Coordinates of all heavy atoms in Angstrom, one line a residue:
M30 N 80.3 117.5 52.3 CA 79.7 118.1 53.5 C 80.5 117.9 54.8 O 80.6 118.7 55.6 CB 78.2 117.7 53.6 CG 77.5 118.6 54.7 SD 77.3 120.1 54.0 CE 75.9 120.6 54.8
K31 N 81.1 116.8 54.9 CA 82.0 116.4 56.1 C 83.1 117.4 56.2 O 83.4 117.9 57.3 CB 82.5 115.0 56.0 CG 81.5 114.0 56.4 CD 82.3 112.7 56.5 CE 81.4 111.5 57.1 NZ 82.1 110.3 57.3
K32 N 83.7 117.9 55.1 CA 84.8 118.7 55.1 C 84.4 120.2 55.7 O 85.0 120.8 56.4 CB 85.4 118.8 53.7 CG 86.7 119.7 53.6 CD 87.2 119.7 52.3 CE 88.6 120.4 52.3 NZ 89.3 120.3 51.0
L33 N 83.2 120.6 55.2 CA 82.6 121.9 55.8 C 82.4 121.8 57.2 O 82.7 122.8 58.0 CB 81.4 122.2 55.0 CG 81.6 122.9 53.5 CD1 80.2 123.2 52.9 CD2 82.4 124.1 53.6
E34 N 81.9 120.7 57.7 CA 81.6 120.5 59.1 C 82.9 120.6 59.9 O 83.0 121.1 61.0 CB 80.7 119.2 59.4 CG 79.4 119.3 58.9 CD 78.6 120.5 59.6 OE1 78.8 120.7 60.8 OE2 77.8 121.1 58.9
R35 N 84.0 119.9 59.3 CA 85.3 119.9 60.0 C 85.8 121.3 60.1 O 86.4 121.8 61.0 CB 86.2 119.1 59.4 CG 86.0 117.6 59.6 CD 87.2 116.6 59.3 NE 88.1 117.0 58.1 CZ 87.9 116.6 56.9 NH1 87.0 115.7 56.6 NH2 88.8 117.0 55.9
I36 N 85.7 122.1 59.0 CA 86.2 123.5 59.0 C 85.5 124.3 59.9 O 86.0 125.1 60.8 CB 86.0 124.0 57.5 CG1 87.1 123.3 56.6 CG2 86.4 125.5 57.5 CD1 86.9 123.6 55.1
K37 N 84.1 124.2 59.9 CA 83.3 124.9 60.9 C 83.6 124.6 62.2 O 83.9 125.5 63.1 CB 81.7 124.6 60.6 CG 80.9 125.3 61.6 CD 79.4 124.8 61.2 CE 78.6 124.9 62.5 NZ 77.4 124.2 62.3
G38 N 83.8 123.4 62.6 CA 84.2 123.0 63.9 C 85.5 123.5 64.3 O 85.7 123.9 65.5
Y39 N 86.5 123.5 63.4 CA 87.8 124.1 63.7 C 87.7 125.5 64.1 O 88.3 126.0 65.1 CB 88.7 124.0 62.5 CG 90.1 124.6 62.7 CD1 91.1 124.0 63.4 CD2 90.4 125.9 62.3 CE1 92.3 124.6 63.6 CE2 91.5 126.5 62.5 CZ 92.5 125.8 63.2 OH 93.7 126.5 63.4
Y40 N 86.9 126.3 63.4 CA 86.8 127.7 63.6 C 86.1 128.1 64.9 O 86.3 129.0 65.6 CB 86.4 128.6 62.4 CG 87.6 128.8 61.5 CD1 87.7 128.1 60.3 CD2 88.6 129.7 61.8 CE1 88.7 128.1 59.4 CE2 89.7 129.8 61.0 CZ 89.8 129.1 59.7 OH 90.8 129.3 59.0
D41 N 84.9 127.2 65.1 CA 84.2 127.4 66.3 C 85.1 127.1 67.5 O 84.9 127.7 68.6 CB 83.0 126.4 66.3 CG 81.9 126.9 65.5 OD1 81.8 128.1 65.2 OD2 81.0 126.0 65.2
K42 N 85.9 126.1 67.4 CA 86.9 125.8 68.5 C 88.0 126.9 68.7 O 88.4 127.1 69.8 CB 87.5 124.5 68.3 CG 88.4 123.9 69.4 CD 88.9 122.6 69.2 CE 89.7 122.1 70.3 NZ 90.4 120.8 70.0
N43 N 88.5 127.4 67.7 CA 89.7 128.2 67.7 C 89.6 129.6 67.3 O 90.5 130.3 67.0 CB 90.7 127.6 66.7 CG 91.2 126.3 67.1 OD1 91.7 126.0 68.2 ND2 90.8 125.2 66.3
Y44 N 88.3 130.2 67.5 CA 88.0 131.6 66.9 C 88.8 132.6 67.7 O 89.3 133.6 67.1 CB 86.6 131.9 67.1 CG 86.0 131.9 68.5 CD1 85.6 133.2 69.0 CD2 85.6 130.8 69.0 CE1 85.1 133.2 70.2 CE2 85.0 130.8 70.3 CZ 84.8 132.1 70.8 OH 84.2 132.2 72.2
L45 N 89.0 132.4 69.1 CA 89.7 133.4 69.9 C 91.3 133.4 69.5 O 91.9 134.4 69.3 CB 89.6 133.1 71.3 CG 88.2 133.4 71.9 CD1 88.1 133.1 73.4 CD2 87.9 135.0 71.6
E46 N 91.7 132.1 69.1 CA 93.3 132.0 68.8 C 93.4 132.7 67.5 O 94.4 133.3 67.2 CB 93.6 130.5 68.8 CG 93.8 129.8 70.1 CD 92.6 129.4 70.6 OE1 91.5 129.6 70.2 OE2 92.6 128.9 71.9
Y47 N 92.4 132.5 66.5 CA 92.4 133.2 65.2 C 92.5 134.7 65.4 O 93.3 135.3 64.7 CB 91.2 132.8 64.4 CG 91.1 133.4 63.1 CD1 91.7 133.0 62.0 CD2 90.3 134.6 63.1 CE1 91.7 133.6 60.7 CE2 90.3 135.3 61.8 CZ 90.9 134.7 60.7 OH 90.8 135.5 59.5
H48 N 91.7 135.3 66.2 CA 91.7 136.6 66.5 C 93.2 137.1 67.0 O 93.7 138.1 66.5 CB 90.6 136.9 67.5 CG 90.6 138.4 67.9 ND1 90.4 139.4 67.0 CD2 90.7 139.0 69.1 CE1 90.3 140.5 67.8 NE2 90.5 140.3 69.0
Q49 N 93.6 136.4 68.0 CA 95.0 136.7 68.5 C 96.0 136.7 67.4 O 96.9 137.5 67.3 CB 95.3 135.8 69.7 CG 94.4 136.1 71.0 CD 94.7 137.5 71.3 OE1 95.7 138.1 71.5 NE2 93.4 138.2 71.6
H50 N 96.0 135.7 66.5 CA 96.9 135.5 65.5 C 96.8 136.7 64.5 O 97.8 137.2 64.0 CB 96.5 134.2 64.6 CG 97.3 134.1 63.3 ND1 98.5 133.7 63.3 CD2 96.8 134.3 62.0 CE1 98.9 133.7 62.0 NE2 97.9 134.0 61.3
M51 N 95.7 137.1 64.2 CA 95.4 138.3 63.3 C 96.1 139.5 63.9 O 96.6 140.4 63.2 CB 93.9 138.4 63.1 CG 93.4 137.5 62.2 SD 93.9 137.2 60.6 CE 93.0 138.7 59.8
I52 N 96.0 139.7 65.3 CA 96.6 140.8 65.9 C 98.1 140.7 65.8 O 98.9 141.6 65.4 CB 96.1 140.8 67.3 CG1 94.6 141.3 67.4 CG2 97.0 142.0 68.1 CD1 94.0 141.1 68.8
K53 N 98.7 139.5 66.2 CA 100.0 139.3 66.5 C 100.8 139.4 65.0 O 101.9 139.9 64.9 CB 100.3 137.9 67.0 CG 101.8 137.5 67.3 CD 101.9 136.1 67.9 CE 103.3 135.8 68.1 NZ 103.5 134.5 68.8
T54 N 100.1 139.0 64.0 CA 100.8 139.0 62.6 C 100.6 140.2 61.8 O 101.0 140.4 60.7 CB 100.4 137.7 61.8 OG1 99.0 137.8 61.6 CG2 100.8 136.5 62.5
N55 N 99.9 141.2 62.5 CA 99.5 142.4 61.7 C 98.7 142.2 60.6 O 98.5 143.2 59.8 CB 100.8 143.3 61.4 CG 101.6 143.7 62.7 OD1 101.0 144.2 63.6 ND2 102.8 143.6 62.7
H56 N 97.9 141.3 60.6 CA 96.8 141.1 59.4 C 95.8 142.2 59.5 O 95.4 142.7 58.5 CB 96.3 139.8 59.5 CG 97.1 138.6 58.8 ND1 98.2 138.3 59.4 CD2 96.9 138.0 57.6 CE1 98.8 137.2 58.5 NE2 98.0 137.1 57.5
Y57 N 95.3 142.5 60.8 CA 94.4 143.5 60.9 C 94.9 144.9 60.3 O 94.2 145.7 59.7 CB 93.9 143.7 62.3 CG 93.0 142.6 62.9 CD1 93.1 142.2 64.1 CD2 92.0 142.0 62.0 CE1 92.3 141.1 64.6 CE2 91.2 140.9 62.5 CZ 91.3 140.6 63.9 OH 90.6 139.6 64.3
S58 N 96.1 145.2 60.7 CA 96.8 146.3 60.2 C 96.8 146.4 58.7 O 96.5 147.5 58.0 CB 98.1 146.7 60.7 OG 98.2 146.6 62.1
A59 N 97.2 145.4 58.0 CA 97.2 145.2 56.6 C 95.8 145.4 56.0 O 95.6 146.1 55.0 CB 97.7 143.9 56.2
Q60 N 94.8 144.8 56.7 CA 93.4 145.0 56.1 C 92.9 146.4 56.2 O 92.3 147.0 55.3 CB 92.5 144.1 57.0 CG 92.6 142.7 56.6 CD 91.8 141.7 57.5 OE1 91.1 142.2 58.6 NE2 91.5 140.6 57.0
K61 N 93.3 147.1 57.3 CA 93.1 148.5 57.5 C 93.7 149.4 56.3 O 93.0 150.2 55.9 CB 93.4 149.0 58.9 CG 93.0 150.4 59.2 CD 93.3 150.8 60.6 CE 92.7 152.2 60.9 NZ 93.0 152.5 62.4
R62 N 94.9 149.2 56.2 CA 95.6 149.9 55.0 C 94.9 149.7 53.8 O 94.8 150.7 52.9 CB 97.1 149.5 55.0 CG 97.9 150.0 56.1 CD 99.4 149.8 55.8 NE 99.8 148.6 55.5 CZ 100.2 147.6 56.4 NH1 100.2 147.9 57.7 NH2 100.5 146.4 55.9
I63 N 94.6 148.5 53.4 CA 93.9 148.1 52.1 C 92.6 148.9 52.0 O 92.3 149.4 51.0 CB 93.8 146.6 51.9 CG1 95.2 146.1 51.7 CG2 92.8 146.3 50.8 CD1 95.1 144.5 51.8
I64 N 91.8 148.7 53.1 CA 90.4 149.4 53.1 C 90.6 150.9 52.9 O 89.9 151.6 52.2 CB 89.7 149.1 54.3 CG1 89.2 147.6 54.4 CG2 88.5 149.9 54.4 CD1 88.4 147.1 53.2
N65 N 91.6 151.4 53.6 CA 91.8 152.9 53.4 C 92.2 153.4 52.1 O 91.8 154.3 51.5 CB 92.8 153.5 54.5 CG 92.2 153.4 55.9 OD1 91.1 153.6 56.0 ND2 93.1 153.4 56.8
K66 N 92.8 152.4 51.4 CA 93.3 152.7 49.9 C 92.1 152.7 49.0 O 92.0 153.4 48.0 CB 94.4 151.9 49.5 CG 95.7 152.2 50.1 CD 96.9 151.3 49.6 CE 98.1 151.8 50.3 NZ 99.4 151.3 49.6
I67 N 91.2 151.8 49.3 CA 90.1 151.6 48.2 C 88.7 152.2 48.7 O 87.7 152.1 48.1 CB 89.8 150.1 48.0 CG1 89.4 149.3 49.2 CG2 91.1 149.4 47.4 CD1 89.1 147.9 49.1
R68 N 88.6 152.7 49.8 CA 87.5 153.2 50.5 C 86.7 154.1 49.6 O 85.5 154.0 49.6 CB 87.9 154.0 51.8 CG 86.7 154.6 52.5 CD 87.2 155.2 53.9 NE 86.6 154.2 54.9 CZ 87.4 153.7 55.8 NH1 88.6 154.0 55.8 NH2 86.9 152.7 56.6
N69 N 87.2 155.1 48.9 CA 86.5 155.9 48.1 C 85.9 155.3 46.9 O 85.0 155.8 46.2 CB 87.4 157.1 47.6 CG 87.7 158.1 48.8 OD1 87.1 158.1 49.8 ND2 89.0 158.6 48.6
H70 N 86.3 154.1 46.6 CA 85.7 153.3 45.4 C 84.6 152.3 45.8 O 84.1 151.7 44.9 CB 86.9 152.6 44.7 CG 88.0 153.5 44.2 ND1 87.9 154.4 43.2 CD2 89.2 153.8 44.8 CE1 89.0 155.1 43.0 NE2 89.8 154.7 44.0
L71 N 84.4 152.1 47.0 CA 83.4 151.2 47.6 C 82.1 151.7 47.4 O 81.8 152.9 47.6 CB 83.8 150.7 48.9 CG 85.1 150.1 49.2 CD1 85.4 149.9 50.6 CD2 85.2 148.7 48.4
K72 N 81.2 150.8 47.1 CA 79.7 151.3 46.9 C 78.9 150.2 47.7 O 79.1 149.0 47.7 CB 79.3 151.4 45.5 CG 80.0 152.6 44.9 CD 79.5 152.7 43.5 CE 80.1 153.9 42.7 NZ 81.3 154.5 43.1
S73 N 77.7 150.7 48.2 CA 76.8 149.8 48.9 C 75.9 149.0 47.9 O 75.7 149.6 46.8 CB 75.9 150.5 49.8 OG 76.6 151.0 50.9
P74 N 75.4 147.8 48.1 CA 75.8 147.1 49.4 C 77.1 146.3 49.3 O 77.6 146.1 48.2 CB 74.6 146.1 49.5 CG 74.3 145.9 48.0 CD 74.5 147.2 47.4
I75 N 77.7 146.0 50.4 CA 78.9 145.3 50.5 C 78.6 143.9 51.1 O 78.1 143.9 52.3 CB 79.9 146.1 51.2 CG1 80.3 147.4 50.5 CG2 81.3 145.2 51.3 CD1 81.1 148.4 51.2
L76 N 79.2 142.9 50.5 CA 79.0 141.5 51.1 C 80.4 141.1 51.5 O 81.3 141.0 50.8 CB 78.4 140.5 50.1 CG 78.4 139.1 50.5 CD1 77.6 138.8 51.7 CD2 77.9 138.3 49.5
D77 N 80.6 140.9 52.8 CA 81.8 140.3 53.3 C 81.6 138.8 53.6 O 81.0 138.4 54.6 CB 82.2 141.0 54.7 CG 83.6 140.6 55.2 OD1 84.2 139.6 54.6 OD2 84.0 141.2 56.3
V78 N 82.1 138.0 52.6 CA 82.0 136.5 52.7 C 83.2 136.0 53.6 O 84.3 136.5 53.3 CB 82.0 135.9 51.3 CG1 81.9 134.4 51.5 CG2 80.8 136.4 50.6
A79 N 82.9 135.1 54.4 CA 84.0 134.6 55.4 C 84.6 135.8 56.2 O 85.7 136.0 56.2 CB 85.1 133.9 54.6
S80 N 83.6 136.4 56.9 CA 84.0 137.7 57.5 C 84.8 137.5 58.8 O 85.3 138.5 59.4 CB 82.5 138.4 57.9 OG 81.8 137.6 58.7
G81 N 85.0 136.2 59.2 CA 85.8 136.0 60.3 C 85.4 136.8 61.5 O 84.2 136.7 62.1
T82 N 86.3 137.6 62.2 CA 86.0 138.3 63.4 C 85.2 139.6 63.2 O 84.8 140.2 64.1 CB 87.3 138.6 64.2 OG1 88.0 139.5 63.2 CG2 88.0 137.4 64.4
G83 N 85.0 140.0 61.9 CA 84.2 141.1 61.6 C 85.0 142.4 61.6 O 84.4 143.5 61.6
Y84 N 86.3 142.1 61.6 CA 87.1 143.4 61.5 C 87.0 144.3 60.3 O 86.8 145.6 60.5 CB 88.6 143.1 61.5 CG 89.5 144.2 61.7 CD1 89.7 144.8 62.8 CD2 90.3 144.8 60.6 CE1 90.6 145.9 62.9 CE2 91.1 145.8 60.7 CZ 91.3 146.5 61.9 OH 92.1 147.5 62.0
I85 N 86.8 143.9 59.1 CA 86.5 144.7 58.0 C 85.2 145.3 58.1 O 85.0 146.5 57.7 CB 86.8 143.8 56.6 CG1 88.3 143.5 56.5 CG2 86.3 144.6 55.6 CD1 88.6 142.7 55.3
V86 N 84.1 144.5 58.5 CA 82.8 145.1 58.7 C 82.9 146.4 59.6 O 82.3 147.3 59.4 CB 81.9 144.0 59.3 CG1 80.5 144.6 59.7 CG2 81.7 143.0 58.2
G87 N 83.7 146.1 60.7 CA 83.8 147.3 61.7 C 84.4 148.6 61.0 O 84.1 149.7 61.4
L88 N 85.4 148.3 60.2 CA 86.0 149.4 59.5 C 85.1 150.1 58.5 O 85.0 151.3 58.4 CB 87.2 149.0 58.6 CG 88.5 148.5 59.5 CD1 89.5 147.9 58.4 CD2 89.0 149.6 60.3
L89 N 84.3 149.4 57.8 CA 83.2 149.8 56.7 C 82.0 150.5 57.4 O 81.5 151.3 56.8 CB 83.0 148.9 55.7 CG 84.2 148.3 55.0 CD1 83.7 147.1 54.0 CD2 84.7 149.5 54.1
K90 N 81.7 150.0 58.6 CA 80.5 150.5 59.3 C 80.6 152.0 59.5 O 79.5 152.6 59.4 CB 80.4 149.7 60.6 CG 79.2 150.2 61.6 CD 79.2 149.3 62.8 CE 80.1 149.7 63.9 NZ 79.8 149.2 65.1
K91 N 81.7 152.5 59.6 CA 81.9 154.0 59.8 C 81.5 154.8 58.8 O 81.1 156.0 58.8 CB 83.4 154.3 60.3 CG 83.8 153.5 61.5 CD 85.3 153.7 61.7 CE 85.7 152.7 62.9 NZ 87.2 152.8 63.0
D92 N 81.6 154.2 57.5 CA 81.2 154.9 56.3 C 79.7 154.8 55.9 O 79.3 155.2 54.9 CB 82.0 154.2 55.1 CG 83.5 154.4 55.3 OD1 83.8 155.6 56.0 OD2 84.3 153.8 54.7
E93 N 78.9 154.2 56.7 CA 77.4 154.1 56.6 C 77.0 153.3 55.4 O 76.0 153.6 54.8 CB 76.8 155.4 56.6 CG 77.1 156.2 57.9 CD 76.3 157.4 58.0 OE1 75.3 157.8 57.3 OE2 76.7 158.2 59.0
H94 N 77.9 152.3 55.1 CA 77.5 151.4 53.8 C 76.4 150.4 54.4 O 76.4 150.1 55.7 CB 78.7 150.5 53.4 CG 79.8 151.4 52.7 ND1 79.5 151.9 51.4 CD2 81.0 151.7 52.9 CE1 80.5 152.5 51.1 NE2 81.5 152.5 51.9
K95 N 75.7 149.9 53.5 CA 74.8 148.8 53.8 C 75.8 147.5 53.7 O 76.4 147.3 52.7 CB 73.7 148.5 52.8 CG 72.9 147.4 53.2 CD 71.6 147.3 52.2 CE 70.8 146.1 52.6 NZ 69.7 145.9 51.7
L96 N 75.8 146.8 54.8 CA 76.8 145.7 55.0 C 76.2 144.4 55.3 O 75.2 144.5 56.1 CB 77.7 146.0 56.1 CG 78.6 147.3 56.0 CD1 79.3 147.7 57.3 CD2 79.7 147.1 54.9
L97 N 76.6 143.4 54.6 CA 76.1 142.0 54.9 C 77.4 141.2 55.2 O 78.4 141.2 54.4 CB 75.4 141.5 53.7 CG 74.2 142.3 53.2 CD1 73.7 141.9 51.8 CD2 73.0 142.2 54.1
A98 N 77.4 140.5 56.4 CA 78.5 139.7 56.7 C 78.1 138.2 56.9 O 77.0 138.1 57.3 CB 79.2 140.3 57.8
N99 N 78.9 137.4 56.5 CA 78.6 136.0 56.6 C 79.8 135.2 56.9 O 80.9 135.4 56.5 CB 78.0 135.5 55.2 CG 77.3 134.0 55.5 OD1 77.3 133.5 56.5 ND2 76.9 133.5 54.3
D100 N 79.8 134.1 57.8 CA 80.8 133.3 58.1 C 80.2 131.9 58.2 O 79.1 131.7 58.8 CB 81.6 133.8 59.2 CG 83.0 133.1 59.2 OD1 83.1 132.0 59.9 OD2 83.8 133.7 58.7
L101 N 81.0 130.8 58.0 CA 80.6 129.4 58.3 C 80.5 129.1 59.7 O 79.6 128.4 60.2 CB 81.7 128.5 57.6 CG 81.4 127.0 57.6 CD1 80.1 126.7 56.9 CD2 82.6 126.2 57.0
S102 N 81.4 129.8 60.5 CA 81.4 129.5 62.0 C 80.5 130.4 62.8 O 80.7 131.5 62.9 CB 82.8 129.7 62.5 OG 82.9 129.8 63.9
P103 N 79.5 129.7 63.5 CA 78.6 130.6 64.5 C 79.5 131.4 65.5 O 79.1 132.4 65.8 CB 77.8 129.4 65.0 CG 77.7 128.4 64.1 CD 79.1 128.3 63.5
K104 N 80.6 130.8 65.9 CA 81.4 131.4 66.9 C 82.1 132.8 66.3 O 82.1 133.7 67.0 CB 82.5 130.5 67.5 CG 82.0 129.4 68.3 CD 81.3 130.1 69.7 CE 80.9 128.9 70.6 NZ 80.3 129.5 71.7
M105 N 82.5 132.6 65.1 CA 83.0 133.8 64.4 C 81.9 134.8 64.2 O 82.1 136.1 64.4 CB 83.5 133.5 63.0 CG 84.9 132.7 63.1 SD 86.2 133.7 63.6 CE 87.6 132.8 63.1
V106 N 80.6 134.5 63.9 CA 79.6 135.3 63.7 C 79.3 136.0 65.0 O 79.0 137.2 65.0 CB 78.3 134.7 63.2 CG1 77.1 135.6 63.2 CG2 78.5 134.1 61.7
E107 N 79.2 135.3 66.1 CA 79.0 136.0 67.4 C 80.1 136.9 67.7 O 79.8 138.0 68.3 CB 79.1 134.8 68.5 CG 77.9 134.0 68.6 CD 78.1 132.9 69.7 OE1 79.0 133.0 70.6 OE2 77.3 131.8 69.5
L108 N 81.4 136.7 67.4 CA 82.4 137.7 67.6 C 82.3 138.9 66.7 O 82.5 139.9 67.2 CB 83.8 136.9 67.4 CG 85.1 137.7 67.8 CD1 85.0 138.1 69.3 CD2 86.3 136.8 67.4
T109 N 81.7 138.7 65.4 CA 81.5 139.8 64.6 C 80.4 140.6 65.2 O 80.7 141.9 65.2 CB 80.9 139.3 63.2 OG1 82.1 138.6 62.6 CG2 80.6 140.5 62.4
I110 N 79.4 140.1 65.7 CA 78.3 140.9 66.3 C 78.8 141.7 67.6 O 78.6 142.9 67.8 CB 77.1 140.0 66.7 CG1 76.5 139.4 65.5 CG2 76.2 140.7 67.6 CD1 75.5 138.4 65.6
K111 N 79.7 141.0 68.4 CA 80.2 141.5 69.6 C 81.2 142.7 69.2 O 81.1 143.7 70.0 CB 81.0 140.5 70.3 CG 81.6 140.9 71.7 CD 82.3 139.9 72.4 CE 83.1 140.4 73.6 NZ 84.0 139.4 74.2
N112 N 82.0 142.5 68.2 CA 83.0 143.6 67.9 C 82.2 144.7 67.1 O 82.7 145.7 67.0 CB 83.9 143.0 67.0 CG 84.9 142.2 67.8 OD1 85.0 142.3 69.0 ND2 85.6 141.2 67.2

């Protein structure tokens, strides 16, 4: 349990840096390309485990899927809701 708390604490502290890293390294662009390739094969409900900043949820929201997102970090969850 201590390890999970450390991980949660890390992402709670560094969630904005994580978001900037995803932008800078083009990870969001890669996620978008992958979602676009598989989009026609996806069916509801969709569970995004470790949803991070919610980027993938945002992409799938446009398709009117039933989406469930979860993350260990409350700060990441807040960012998902905001985005």
Side-chain angles (χ1 to χ4, degrees):
M30 193 64 158
K31 278 187 174 184
K32 187 173 185 176
L33 283 179
E34 288 301 316
R35 284 198 327 262
I36 294 167
K37 177 182 154 191
Y39 175 82
Y40 282 104
D41 278 349
K42 182 179 177 185
N43 297 294
Y44 68 101
L45 291 176
E46 288 82 359
Y47 174 85
H48 178 61
Q49 290 302 315
H50 168 78
M51 294 293 282
I52 293 169
K53 184 177 180 181
T54 59
N55 292 315
H56 277 74
Y57 287 144
S58 298
Q60 288 176 341
K61 185 175 184 177
R62 284 193 309 274
I63 291 167
I64 292 298
N65 286 336
K66 286 184 179 196
I67 66 171
R68 178 172 257 126
N69 294 332
H70 303 285
L71 298 174
K72 296 189 181 2
S73 290
I75 297 171
L76 173 60
D77 185 357
V78 178
S80 60
T82 63
Y84 183 77
I85 291 175
V86 170
L88 293 174
L89 295 174
K90 173 173 93 167
K91 300 170 189 169
D92 297 337
E93 300 184 17
H94 287 290
K95 181 177 180 182
L96 300 166
L97 303 166
N99 192 4
D100 199 276
L101 181 64
S102 163
K104 291 292 187 181
M105 287 287 198
V106 172
E107 286 176 22
L108 193 55
T109 296
I110 292 167
K111 180 181 173 187
N112 289 337

